[in-house]
Every structure is written in structure tokens, then in C-alpha cells.
């Protein structure tokens, strides 16, 4: 079992930046595909960004050019650098892991989830 703990969320103003971190425990972190998802009130959980074990990367169209996902296998940590934040980015952000070999954008395909970190962007 893999345990994931997100951190770095907070309250910011539009245009500001945040960096989210996801610390993972497990013996085979480097073999997992990692993803970031978010869920706003009244909405379904949606894919934000993912990074594969081979460092392949995929982003949702809504965050391309603004968000950057990265991983440091030596630290068992995945990051999400979020720039140019706007009110539509307000959500609880979740880190997820899957043993899949490719980046997946469907939440149901992920095996492990963190508890989430709140990101609130004021206009």
C-alpha cells in the first residue's frame, strides 16, 4: 500500500503562485505513475496533470502553460507548480498514484489517493 500526503495549499489572490507537494511512502515509488486531480464544490473530480514512471507528462487543457508537474524519485515526492492562478483553480487538490504504465486521466484508474489540500484563489 502507498500512502500519499499533499501539502502546499492555501489562500492566494488571482495571479499568484503555489507549489503543491505530494510525499509518498512505498518501496516502488519510481515505478508508479503519479497524477494530480482537483475537485471543486458541486463538481466532479477532474484530471489536472500526470507524470509517468518514464517521466512522460500530460496536462489538462485548462492548466497548460500555467502548471508544471515534476517528480523527484530520490525524495519520493511529486510536485505541482501552479502559476497565474485564477478563481477557476479553486478546488481541493488530490495526489494519486497508479501502477499503470502510462499517464491516466481517469480518476477510477488510480489506486491510491491522498487526503487533499485546499487551494483557494480570490478574485
Amino acid at each position: 500500500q502507498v500512502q500519499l500526503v499533499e501539502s502546499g495549499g492555501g489562500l492566494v489572490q488571482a495571479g499568484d503562485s503555489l507549489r503543491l507537494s505530494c510525499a509518498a511512502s512505498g518501496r516502488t515509488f519510481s515505478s508508479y505513475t503519479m497524477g494530480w486531480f482537483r475537485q471543486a464544490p458541486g463538481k466532479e473530480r477532474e484530471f489536472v496533470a500526470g507524470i509517468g514512471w518514464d517521466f512522460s507528462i500530460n496536462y489538462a487543457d485548462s492548466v497548460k502553460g500555467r502548471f508544471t508537474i515534476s517528480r523527484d524519485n530520490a525524495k519520493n515526492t511529486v510536485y505541482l507548480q501552479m502559476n497565474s492562478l485564477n478563481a477557476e483553480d479553486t478546488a481541493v487538490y488530490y495526489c494519486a498514484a497508479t501502477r499503470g504504465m502510462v499517464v491516466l486521466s481517469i480518476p477510477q484508474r488510480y489506486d491510491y489517493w491522498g487526503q487533499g489540500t485546499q487551494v483557494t484563489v480570490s478574485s
Side-chain angles (χ1 to χ4, degrees):
Q1 185 176 352
V2 176
Q3 294 184 349
L4 306 173
V5 180
E6 304 96 335
S7 63
L11 174 63
V12 298
Q13 295 184 357
D16 286 353
S17 298
L18 283 174
R19 189 181 76 160
L20 305 183
S21 298
C22 174
S25 64
R27 298 169 55 189
T28 58
F29 174 80
S30 63
S31 67
Y32 284 85
T33 288
M34 305 297 298
W36 285 98
F37 293 78
R38 66 187 183 186
Q39 187 167 20
K43 297 184 178 180
E44 297 294 320
R45 188 167 300 186
E46 65 176 357
F47 173 78
V48 176
I51 183 167
W53 64 270
D54 62 348
F55 292 88
S56 60
I57 293 174
N58 193 26
Y59 296 101
D61 289 341
S62 59
V63 306
K64 287 182 179 178
R66 299 189 298 121
F67 290 10
T68 302
I69 188 172
S70 61
R71 68 190 297 165
D72 187 338
N73 290 340
K75 297 181 179 180
N76 280 16
T77 302
V78 177
Y79 305 96
L80 184 67
Q81 178 67 46
M82 305 186 296
N83 299 326
S84 301
L85 288 164
N86 56 62
E88 295 181 349
D89 297 316
T90 295
V92 176
Y93 283 71
Y94 297 91
C95 178
T98 179
R99 292 183 293 274
M101 299 178 64
V102 298
V103 174
L104 302 173
S105 61
I106 303 174
Q108 291 80 2
R109 297 294 184 90
Y110 284 77
D111 303 301
Y112 307 102
W113 293 84
Q115 294 184 344
T117 184
Q118 177 70 48
V119 173
T120 302
V121 185
S122 62
S123 301

